[in-house]
Amino acid sequence: RLFSREDGFLSMVRFLKAGGALFVAADMRMQQGEPVLLFGKPAASTTIPLKLQKMTGALPLFFVLNKINHRQWEIAFEELPAVDVHTTEGEVAFLRNMNEFLEQMIVNNPTDYFFFQDRYKQ
């Protein structure tokens, strides 16, 4: 199921609480993102995965599509390290872990990733 902004955040929360799985792009452009280091510089980062984790307790998984050849891709899933997202330190750790995973994904396959937005806006 696709959600739009018009559906509202709570419809996504209800969907997750009912056992659904939801994809949220960790590298999406944010008007007001949380500044979290990405390649050593503060970058506007989405807090949507963090908020969904806090509100639903859903397991945050990351997945990466890696190109095998011009017609084949493989998908890999990875769990974020467990943190207590109900503390300030845990929130910071969650966002830092999210961006570290994104960095590693880009470093491992730089030609499979595009920076379409300026994440480093001040």
Side-chain angles (χ1 to χ4, degrees):
R1 172 159 188 238
L2 293 175
F3 289 93
S4 73
R5 292 177 190 218
E6 289 78 34
D7 291 327
F9 193 73
L10 290 180
S11 61
M12 290 184 275
V13 170
R14 284 191 289 275
F15 180 74
L16 282 173
K17 285 186 174 183
L22 183 66
F23 166 75
V24 177
D27 64 340
M28 72 173 79
R29 182 184 175 129
M30 297 298 299
Q31 298 256 342
Q32 298 294 324
E34 188 68 28
V36 180
L37 291 182
L38 182 67
F39 293 109
K41 293 173 62 178
S45 303
T46 181
T47 58
I48 293 172
L50 170 64
K51 290 175 184 173
L52 291 169
Q53 165 69 25
K54 288 176 75 169
M55 295 176 78
T56 68
L59 177 67
L61 291 175
F62 276 92
F63 78 88
V64 178
L65 292 169
N66 293 313
K67 190 193 276 187
I68 305 300
N69 58 46
H70 68 282
R71 288 188 282 180
Q72 290 182 311
W73 294 76
E74 82 178 0
I75 188 168
F77 292 92
E78 187 173 323
E79 288 184 43
L80 279 179
V83 296
D84 182 0
V85 294
H86 300 289
T87 67
T88 301
E89 295 82 18
E91 288 181 357
V92 171
F94 182 98
L95 296 172
R96 188 176 57 244
N97 290 340
M98 185 178 71
N99 275 8
E100 286 173 0
F101 182 85
L102 181 60
E103 284 178 7
Q104 194 59 52
M105 180 194 78
I106 296 167
V107 167
N108 289 346
N109 293 297
T111 60
D112 288 343
Y113 189 80
F114 298 98
F115 274 105
F116 283 115
Q117 68 276 346
D118 183 1
R119 298 274 306 277
Y120 299 108
K121 285 195 229 179
Q122 297 294 329

